[in-house]
Amino acid sequence: MAELARHQIILSIINTPAGSTLRFRGLNLAGLDLSGGLDLSRANFSLANLSGVQLQRADLEQARFWKTDLRMADLQQTHLAGAMLAEARLARANLRQADLRGANLQGANLARADLSGADLTDAVLQRADLTGAILDDCKLERANLSGAVLAGASLQHAVLIDANLHAARLTGADLQGAHLIDATCTGADLSGASLQAADLSRAVLVDTDLSGANLAGADVTHTDLRRAILRNVHWDGPSYSQS
């Protein structure tokens, strides 16, 4: 049955006129193998069940996945630039090295998803759930992560230059070596986070909770720390305790 469904999808691709939209809205395609670089750009998968689907290296540029179930889906090296993934369920999905430039992931559930090496430049991740997600070496330049939950997430060496992290929750997150130059972190919760050797130059951390954070070796040149909570922060010298 799975092989037949794959065959039907390939026929749909072949028979759909150029410029037309492939429509899979609301279909149950769970567990299908759609890997191998299929051209599904601009396809509509909204409200569909794609849990456990294999879509490695597929072209899904500007495709629609509104409220789509993509839990544990394999989207490694998939092209998702400009895709609509608002409120999609992507828990434990494999998005390693995926191209998500300019994608809309507002309110998406990416808990424990693997996004290492993915390109999320200019992506919208407002209020997304990234609890325990892996974002090591991710490109998040100018990404909007305001209100996002990144508790316990790993963002080692992630590029967050000019990113918006307003009111984001990063409790216990690992940001070792991350690049947060010019990032806006107003009102964010970075308590217990590791920011060792992170570049926070010119970042805005006004009203940010940094209690118990590790900033050993971090670059805080021209960093705005007004009203930041700095209790028991670890700097290069002895631990800092705010009076």
Side-chain angles (χ1 to χ4, degrees), residues 185-206:
C185 303
T186 51
D189 187 350
L190 282 153
S191 57
S194 175
L195 289 149
Q196 288 179 277
D199 191 344
L200 294 158
S201 53
R202 300 192 304 277
V204 181
L205 280 80
V206 176

Side-chain angles (χ1 to χ4, degrees), residues 70 72-81 83 85 88-106 108-121 123-125 128-141 143 145 148-160:
L70 285 154
M72 294 183 286
D74 192 340
L75 296 153
Q76 184 168 343
Q77 297 181 340
T78 298
H79 298 284
L80 285 154
L85 291 139
R89 298 159 71 188
L90 287 146
R92 298 184 183 275
N94 179 5
L95 288 150
R96 292 172 63 90
Q97 299 178 340
D99 181 358
L100 287 151
R101 290 172 296 165
N104 184 346
L105 290 139
Q106 185 170 342
N109 184 345
L110 291 142
R112 296 177 178 79
D114 188 348
L115 293 127
S116 50
D119 191 344
L120 288 144
T121 303
V124 177
L125 291 139
D129 184 356
L130 290 143
T131 304
I134 303 170
L135 296 118
D136 298 336
D137 300 305
C138 253
K139 295 178 182 177
L140 287 152
E141 192 166 356
L145 289 146
V149 179
L150 294 120
S154 182
L155 295 113
Q156 290 189 27
H157 307 289
V159 179
L160 290 144

Side-chain angles (χ1 to χ4, degrees), residues 159-221:
V159 179
L160 290 144
I161 298 170
D162 204 25
N164 181 357
L165 289 152
H166 170 70
R169 182 182 169 193
L170 294 118
T171 51
D174 187 351
L175 290 135
Q176 291 186 62
H179 303 273
L180 289 136
I181 304 163
D182 294 315
T184 300
C185 303
T186 51
D189 187 350
L190 282 153
S191 57
S194 175
L195 289 149
Q196 288 179 277
D199 191 344
L200 294 158
S201 53
R202 300 192 304 277
V204 181
L205 280 80
V206 176
D207 297 317
T208 298
D209 187 351
L210 286 158
S211 54
N214 188 346
L215 282 88
D219 187 346
V220 290
T221 306

Side-chain angles (χ1 to χ4, degrees), residues 15 22 26 44 48-49 54 78 97 103 127 139 143 170 192 197 204 236:
N15 295 324
L22 287 161
N44 188 348
N49 182 358
Q54 296 181 51
T78 298
Q97 299 178 340
R127 299 184 303 282
K139 295 178 182 177
L170 294 118
V204 181
D236 283 326

